[in-house]
Amino acid sequence: MLFKTTDQHEALRKKVRAFAEEKVKPIAFDLDQKNEFPDDIVKEMGELGFLGIPYPKEYGGQGLDVISYAIVVEELSRVDGGVGVICSAHTSLGSWPIFAFGTEEQKKKYLTPLAKGEKLGGFGLTEENAGSDAGGTETTAELDGDNYILNGKKIFITNAPKADTYVVFAVTTPGIGTHGISAFIVEKDFEGFTFSDHYDKLGIRSSSTAELHFENVKVPKENLLGKEGQGFKIAMATLDGGRIGIASQALGIGQGAYESALAYAKEREQFGLPIAHLQANTFKLADMATQLHGARLMIYQAAELKENHERYSAEAAMAKQVASDLAMKISTEAVQIYGGSGFIKGVDVERFFRDAKITQIYEGTNEIMRVVVGANTVGRAPKMKRAGGRGKDAGPIAGLRKKEIYTGDPKEAVKKLVAALKKDGYDFTVGIDPNTPIPEAQRVVVAGRGIGEKKNMKLIEDLAYQAGAAISSSRPVAETLKYIPLERYIGMSGQTFKGNLYIGVGVSGAGQHLKGMKNASTIVAINSSANAPIFNNCDYGIVGDAMVILPLLIKELDNGEEKKPAPPMKKMKRSKPRKMAPKEDIYVDLGSGYEYDPEVGDPTQGVEPGTPFDKLPDEWVSPVSGEAKEEFIKLEFPEDRK
């Protein structure tokens, strides 16, 4: 066997390298500084066929092999890691699932414009509670006539919001774990499908990354990819191939850093000779060249296995792990060779250093890569009870709350809210300085993206005065919209609020925000979306337009007198939710007295919390007596518990 690329491969490499050098390299620094997506570059990549390399010509692709695809990503990333991953995410994640699992109609409608580069693709799997553990997916898809109704949120999505077509994963059958996840093709302009702002990232800043928000999004039944329940299988198969792309990106970043360091070391002189000839640096550069060569062979082998329809999951994971660790190591050494100059913005090794880090994290962290390789060597571990983490059994981030949500007439909703707060002991005749530091505040009014224009902050200020609260916001309102100073936003990366009363207006309830206010005694949410996660984490909530609710709430809290200074804060006890009858029927095994509770499930047999009794697998038996489920009877509750 001759371990060498073909003349066709090298001709393609020459073509892509010329494009990268002439079109991408001159603007790479500017794209990085401005956090800007290269629309014109992506359009030209599509016209040159770079976005459809491994797909058949009948679907608009170039009909080339997987090694060719790896070369394209490698050469683009050699100049700019962000541009490289735009190509990789589009090809491996946004297009491949449709090619591998789509119907002929889906391929013609969606794959063809993607392979032609006329449209850009994205992949929606990651969620706040479903990162490395994709089985924790919480986005839902309910069949309603001819459509599935999608609700939920995805985070860290590459190519969002620029992509036109997304492969999205959602739970169609709750309670049965990964077997209940399905995949869908979702178009950008579907009603109710919206996006967050493009993240401000450490590296790959020319690559756009944002959140996907689904609010009762209607997805036609014919956009189901594969069959119901095949989503997890589709996601895992897609990620196997995607790891070849990320390994190639990491290889390109490492190659770019190595070439830059080598050129600099040959021209920079110290102690009377180029520093490349100082043995410490000679060995550094020799190791870089050796390790790059090894990583390239690993990547091309995984690509060759995929091309020939052989098993390649472990090889792709190995290549991704080795190449990404190598990219981080080489870019670090490249900065070291540059010395102080390498620490300055505008020097490419500084950008390569920042770009390299993400390759160890996305498409499966390198810790997960070891899990994948381990599963292919020592085998899979036996099933264990899910413990810890933020899975569905872990409950809301802010803990169990009352979740008394008011809908309907806004005036009545506001009256009920204020009455409930007063009953809980809140005195609205007292007030504090609205600029009180958040950690010192007894109460806060928090503005989220849902408040809209900056002029609406006047309502937030008025509400804060009447509620006796300090003014705060979610991170996007402070960081992106700049409505308030950065030091006043609440979240895991910002200020922590541990006071008594939190009132969130237009706050959706992102995990990093909830972690910053989860210890509030009372949480109030006002949001126009009934599906906003914050409602699952609040004591009281009003579903409605904030611009209608706020004036009513301000008026209801106003006693017509100037606020008295608030006394020193006394931490109020969190109110506990009222006990209610179970939401689902509970069945009992009369022989042993064991009760199957759907809210608890049966982790000993892999049944997740939230699984109704009638959805239990046929082989399930009582964990106490071993009786089959046919032997269970339904418990009846008195009317006063319902």
Side-chain angles (χ1 to χ4, degrees):
M1 178 182 283
L2 181 64
F3 290 93
K4 183 181 177 183
T5 50
T6 65
D7 290 343
Q8 185 181 28
H9 287 140
E10 292 310 311
L12 176 64
R13 185 190 303 278
K14 184 178 179 181
K15 177 181 178 181
V16 180
R17 181 170 292 197
F19 171 80
E21 289 284 342
E22 294 168 14
K23 299 296 180 70
V24 182
K25 191 171 185 177
I27 63 170
F29 173 69
D30 202 41
L31 293 174
D32 177 72
Q33 290 295 291
K34 293 179 179 177
N35 201 28
E36 185 177 302
F37 186 84
D39 293 284
D40 293 340
I41 292 292
V42 174
K43 181 181 178 182
E44 192 167 350
M45 289 198 311
E47 293 169 351
L48 290 169
F50 295 168
L51 301 182
I53 289 290
Y55 299 114
K57 292 183 179 180
E58 64 183 291
Y59 297 120
Q62 298 298 303
L64 302 177
D65 61 8
V66 183
I67 290 181
S68 298
Y69 158 64
I71 288 171
V72 171
V73 176
E74 176 188 345
E75 289 299 324
L76 292 172
S77 302
R78 174 183 161 273
V79 168
D80 183 75
V83 173
V85 81
I86 292 169
C87 176
S88 175
H90 163 88
T91 308
S92 292
L93 305 183
S95 305
W96 188 84
I98 302 173
F99 171 67
F101 297 95
T103 63
E104 191 61 27
E105 290 74 18
Q106 289 172 338
K107 291 177 186 177
K108 288 179 179 176
K109 182 176 181 180
Y110 293 110
L111 178 61
T112 299
L114 289 169
K116 285 183 176 179
E118 295 170 351
K119 292 191 175 181
L120 193 65
F123 181 82
L125 177 64
T126 304
E127 299 181 4
E128 289 174 349
N129 296 328
S132 294
D133 180 8
T137 297
E138 295 173 350
T139 296
T140 60
E142 295 184 15
L143 186 60
D144 181 15
D146 293 331
N147 299 288
Y148 285 91
I149 309 301
L150 263 65
N151 280 289
K153 182 173 79 170
K154 301 291 182 178
I155 63 173
F156 304 146
I157 306 304
T158 304
N159 288 347
K162 294 290 185 175
D164 305 285
T165 306
Y166 298 81
V167 175
V168 176
F169 298 84
V171 175
T172 46
T173 305
I176 59 174
T178 57
H179 299 292
I181 299 173
S182 302
F184 301 88
I185 304 170
V186 183
E187 296 178 27
K188 183 178 186 177
D189 59 0
F190 280 176
E191 187 176 355
F193 182 17
T194 57
F195 307 86
S196 73
D197 292 322
H198 164 36
Y199 294 146
D200 190 3
K201 306 187 297 292
L202 171 71
I204 59 165
R205 291 167 57 81
S206 58
S207 162
S208 181
T209 311
E211 297 170 3
L212 314 181
H213 298 169
F214 303 97
E215 176 73 24
N216 295 323
V217 177
K218 288 183 179 180
V219 179
K221 278 198 303 187
E222 56 266 28
N223 280 33
L224 173 70
L225 192 58
K227 297 178 181 179
E228 271 201 16
Q230 286 188 333
F232 188 75
K233 169 188 169 184
I234 292 171
M236 294 303 103
T238 302
L239 290 173
D240 280 342
R243 285 162 189 156
I244 295 174
I246 298 307
S248 302
Q249 179 201 17
L251 175 64
I253 293 170
Q255 184 71 35
Y258 160 69
E259 290 180 9
S260 180
L262 178 62
Y264 179 80
K266 285 181 176 180
E267 85 175 24
R268 168 72 167 163
E269 291 191 3
Q270 290 287 279
F271 308 108
L273 76 166
I275 64 171
H277 295 287
L278 297 174
Q279 190 177 62
N281 291 329
T282 302
F283 284 3
K284 275 186 172 70
L285 293 163
D287 285 347
M288 290 181 191
T290 302
Q291 292 159 356
L292 286 166
H293 185 65
R296 185 171 288 108
L297 289 175
M298 291 184 73
I299 294 167
Y300 290 2
Q301 185 214 11
E304 190 79 342
L305 288 171
K306 181 181 181 184
E307 180 67 26
N308 288 279
H309 309 291
E310 300 281 348
R311 288 176 60 87
Y312 69 96
S313 178
E315 288 78 6
M318 291 175 184
K320 191 268 186 186
Q321 175 198 321
V322 167
S324 58
D325 284 345
L326 182 59
M328 197 70 235
K329 180 180 178 182
I330 287 179
S331 60
T332 301
E333 292 286 32
V335 171
Q336 191 71 21
I337 287 173
Y338 265 84
S341 298
F343 207 68
I344 304 299
K345 293 282 185 185
V347 177
D348 56 6
V349 293
E350 182 270 341
R351 176 165 48 83
F352 288 135
F353 176 79
R354 288 185 286 107
D355 286 351
K357 184 59 194 174
I358 190 61
T359 65
Q360 295 178 308
I361 298 172
Y362 59 13
E363 219 89 357
T365 64
N366 281 4
E367 289 75 15
I368 291 295
M369 293 305 94
R370 289 172 171 85
V371 171
V372 173
V373 175
N376 282 270
T377 52
V378 302
R380 296 188 181 277
K383 274 191 175 180
M384 297 176 65
K385 179 178 178 181
R386 183 184 284 262
R390 285 239 49 88
K392 292 178 182 175
D393 51 338
I397 291 175
L400 292 176
R401 296 281 175 167
K402 288 182 178 180
K403 288 192 282 190
E404 294 185 14
I405 312 300
Y406 309 121
T407 58
D409 180 29
K411 289 183 180 179
E412 288 301 313
V414 165
K415 286 183 180 296
K416 289 179 181 177
L417 171 62
V418 174
L421 291 173
K422 288 180 176 178
K423 186 177 179 181
D424 285 348
Y426 286 101
D427 178 7
F428 295 109
T429 66
V430 300
I432 62 172
D433 183 340
N435 293 313
T436 298
I438 302 304
E440 299 173 17
Q442 302 185 36
R443 309 172 187 175
V444 289
V445 172
V446 181
R449 287 295 299 265
I451 67 163
E453 299 176 30
K454 188 173 184 178
K455 64 181 181 181
N456 297 329
M457 284 298 293
K458 180 65 169 61
L459 289 171
I460 296 294
E461 293 167 8
D462 293 345
L463 176 59
Y465 175 77
Q466 295 299 343
I471 295 172
S472 183
S473 77
S474 61
R475 183 171 71 175
V477 171
E479 185 178 75
T480 305
L481 299 179
K482 296 179 170 52
Y483 288 178
I484 70 169
L486 268 175
E487 66 270 15
R488 297 200 65 79
Y489 82 78
I490 286 175
M492 182 172 64
S493 58
Q495 297 297 313
T496 299
F497 176 68
K498 297 180 180 179
N500 290 326
L501 179 60
Y502 167 101
I503 302 176
V505 183
V507 176
S508 66
Q512 83 88 22
H513 182 75
L514 293 173
K515 288 171 184 175
M517 44 70 87
K518 65 181 181 179
N519 292 316
S521 300
T522 304
I523 297 175
V524 176
I526 300 170
N527 200 293
S528 59
S529 170
N531 296 312
I534 196 169
F535 284 126
N536 197 41
N537 290 269
C538 73
D539 295 285
Y540 307 106
I542 298 180
V543 179
D545 184 347
M547 296 305 103
V548 175
I549 302 297
L550 289 187
L552 296 171
L553 183 55
I554 291 165
K555 184 177 179 181
E556 189 69 19
L557 293 173
D558 187 0
N559 65 350
E561 298 178 6
E562 187 176 345
K563 301 294 179 182
K564 296 177 291 186
M569 184 175 76
K570 291 182 180 179
K571 182 67 173 175
M572 298 176 68
K573 280 189 175 181
R574 183 189 298 182
S575 300
K576 294 182 178 179
R578 291 195 296 266
K579 289 187 177 180
M580 303 175 68
K583 293 180 181 178
E584 301 282 353
D585 293 328
I586 291 180
Y587 287 76
V588 63
D589 167 18
L590 291 178
S592 65
Y594 167 77
E595 295 179 3
Y596 175 75
D597 185 347
E599 293 187 12
V600 176
D602 180 10
T604 63
Q605 298 186 64
V607 178
E608 296 193 2
T611 305
F613 187 81
D614 61 0
K615 293 288 186 182
L616 287 172
D618 292 338
E619 64 272 16
W620 182 85
V621 296
S622 166
V624 176
S625 69
E627 289 282 3
K629 64 180 185 177
E630 289 78 12
E631 303 300 321
F632 280 61
I633 66 168
K634 185 170 73 172
L635 282 180
E636 298 292 339
F637 292 96
E639 286 299 318
D640 62 356
R641 283 191 62 188
K642 295 184 178 178

